Each structure stands twice: as structure tokens, then as C-alpha cells.
Amino acid sequence: MVMVERVEAIYQDVVKRNPGEVEFHQAVKEVLECLGPVLVKYPDFTEAKIIERICEPERQTIFRVPWQDDRGEVQINRGFRVQFNSALGPYKGGLRFHPSVYLGIIKFLGFEQIFKNSLTGLPIGGAKGGSDFDPKGKSDNEVMRFCQSFMTELWRIIGEHTDVPAGDIGVGGREIGYLFGQYKRLTNKFEAGVLTGKGLVYGGSQVRTEATGYGCTYFVEEMLKGKKNGLKGKKVVVSGSGNVAIYTLEKVHQLGGKVIAMSDSNGVIVDERGCNIETIQQLKEVERRRIKDYCDYHRHAKYIHGGNIWDVPCDVAMPSATQNEVTGKDAKKLVKNGCIAVGEGANMPTTPDGVQVFLSAGVLFGPGKAANAGGVATSALEMQQNAGREAWGFEETDAKLHQIMKNVYQLCSEAADEFGSPGNFVVGANIAGFIKVARAMSAHGLV
Ligand code: GLU
């Protein structure tokens, strides 16, 4: 009880010291709520103020990103890189380009990344960055000029042994290419390991594009296997239609499930025959169009403008769009409609009351920091290949990803058992992720 009060006091201090950063508060609260029993078992973590230190980023950089649009007009955006924790390895985490980005979003993502990266078992610290730049509707040239300007600031604080950014919402292969080109030009070095998610022709890894979606599906399959069940024959709903959603769709179909609904910020498509991956890829990745156009190619499918994807009855829900997209109300609806498992492909897509609804209904719940760890894990494999000047094949890399996701599941499941919450992978992920980082921080002394 005393320990729980102590953790509550730390949380209140975080809220006070980081005013207005509601997503960051939410992410911290979820982790801290799980740590009471850890402090009882490891009193030295309290003495060394590990929790207080872990909640304070090691370094935060905010910078101006000026660029010119196609009409010659000057545009100003804000760039961020929060280097949260380097206890386990170089800072690692993606860049998000989205108009909603502000410091609170980057800090929530960076904080989550510490524990996620720890769970992968690979030597990577936690970071996140990005900009309030909106890539929607921008030409390739505008995106390139923005990326070049962004990197003209960012290059000073990154490096293959220092900080290794990658993609996130709004940052994919195209953006990473432009960022890498500018880094190479500014430093006069072909330092492949400075960014991950690179193209295959210049140092990228097989399976990195597919990794988050594949990994999340592997995690869900592990949760179901724990209950002598599996994805085969299951109806799955996947929100979003970006990189994570597309490769979740592919892997679910490979494992015998059927994805019957997907979405974008405008609406939902329902295709009871199973969503077609080629169409979604062509629309979203190549032509950068809206999901409603799916119905032009598949007349039997339905488009619901402004619809809520969580109203579609399913066995398994895989939120893969963005934070807080599944509310308590949505969770209740899903449970009522018979949903038995949730795998979070996005970062923190379920609100805290939504998580409670799932846990108390006995729904298998794979929290993002465990379920979507396959993306960053494969980034770490990309770093490994770059360091060894190697390029592994698709099957070999996919097998490593699969094994990593099995390990992540095992870690969460064992920690949940050990600390008295069997089957609660939120507790399991937070505790297992935290302990490894805390041990490394203790070993490093007061830094
Ligand atoms: N943005 C991804 C994540 O949320 C991947 C980060 C990376 O590959 O560094 O984990």
C-alpha cells in the first residue's frame, strides 16, 4: 500500500512538471500503476529513484523546420526529438509527421518506446520524434524539401551509435529515403545504421515494411494459442489502412483468419469476403487515395462514411490507426458482439477505461508496447545487418521476427504470473519491460 502511494506521488509530480501533456500523463499512469509489486521486490529501485528518472527524458530537442511549398510560399513547422532513455542501447524510435504532433504526443510515444524496446530483448534505448507537418496532399517535392530541412537540424543529434530514427505515422519508405540522402550529404558518410526502414537497395532489411503488422498478428496468435485457440476461421477487424493495417491484413489471411473491415479517418469499408490486400496497397501506398475508393474495385463491399469500425461484429479486433481510437464505449460494444481478443497494432489505441472493459470481460488483450514491438525489433535487426554489412533473406528475417514475438509474449505472460496478475499482459508488459531497463540504470550509477 505504501508503495502504491509512493508511485501515485511520483505520478502527480509528473503531471505537475509536464503541464498539458495529457497523452504523456496517460502513458506514464498506465506503467506506474503496474509497478507497486516491483518496488516491493526490488527496494533498491526506490532508493535510486529509478521511476522518477525514467519519467524524465534524458534529452529533448525542439527545432524550427522552414521550407518552401510548390507555390514558393514559406512554411514553418516544428520538429521534435525526445531522447528518452539510453540504458539498453542507442536511442531508438520512429518519427511521426502529423498535424496533431506536439511535445505531449512525442513524449508519450518515446516513453512507451523505452519499455517496448526492452521487451524485444535487443540492445536499443527509447526515443521518438517528428513534426506537426501534414504530409496529406503534399507533392513529392514538398515532402522532399521538408525532409531535407528537418534533417538539416536533426543530423547533429543522431548517429548509428547515438540515436537511430525510423518511421511512424506519416513517415514511410519515401520519407526515410529523403532523410537518409540529406544525412549522407551533410555528414559525407554512408552511415547505413543511422536510420531504419530504409529501402532494400540501400541498406534496408527484408520484412521491416511488414514487421509491425506481421508481429502484431503473431502476438495475437500466441495469445489465442495460450487458450488452445487460433486465428484460423476468425473474423478480424483492423482499423486504419496504413503500413501496420496492411500487413496485419496480409498475415491474418496467411494464418487462416479473415479481415472483414478496415478504415481511414473518413470512414469504414466492410468486405465480408475478406479485404483485398492488393487493392488497399494500390490505393493507400501507391496512389495515396482514400479507402472509400475500395468499393470501385469491389462492388459487393460497403462503405460507411463517418462510420465507427468497432460497431462491426468480430472475433478479434486489431486497432492499427492511432492513439485513443478505442473508447470504453467501443470496448463494451466489441465485448457485447463477441470479441475474444484484441491486439494493439498502433501505440496506445485503447483508452484506459477501454482497457479495463476488455480485462474485466476476460478478453485477451495484447497492449501495443508488446503486440506492436515487431516493427522496432526488425529495425534492430536492420541495424545488426548494417553493422555486419549483411543482408539476410526474407524467410530468415521473418523467422527471427516470429521468434522475437513469441519471446515477447512469453515475457509478458511470465511476468504477469510472477507478479500476481495471470493473463494480464498489460501488467506483464509494463513490469517485464521496466525491470530490464531499471537493472541497467542501476548498474550505470547516477547518470
Ligand atoms: N514507430 C515504430 C514504433 O512505434 C517503429 C520504431 C522503429 O522502428 O524505430 O515502434
Side-chain angles (χ1 to χ4, degrees), residues 92-94 113 116 128 164 166-168 196 208 347 372 375-376 379:
K92 181 83 196 87
Q113 203 82 44
K116 182 196 306 193
K128 206 83 187 193
V164 183
D168 195 82
T196 61
R208 177 61 192 88
N347 289 310
N372 75 33
V376 75
S379 278

Side-chain angles (χ1 to χ4, degrees), residues 26 30 108 112 116 212-213 215-217 219-220 223 237-239 244-245 248 310 316-327 331 341-352 354-356 358 364-375 405 425-426 429-430:
Q26 183 184 335
E30 190 211 273
F108 119 62
E112 292 273 297
K116 182 196 306 193
T212 313
C216 190
T217 313
F219 192 93
V220 168
M223 290 198 299
V237 160
V238 180
S239 65
V244 181
T248 298
W310 311 120
V316 177
M318 300 183 70
S320 308
T322 194
Q323 67 274 356
N324 292 328
E325 55 165 315
V326 186
T327 63
V342 176
E344 292 191 324
N347 289 310
M348 207 170 74
T350 312
T351 62
V355 175
Q356 274 324 311
F358 290 133
L364 293 166
F365 182 78
K369 60 171 78 72
N372 75 33
M405 295 315 295
F425 306 124
V426 175
N430 287 330

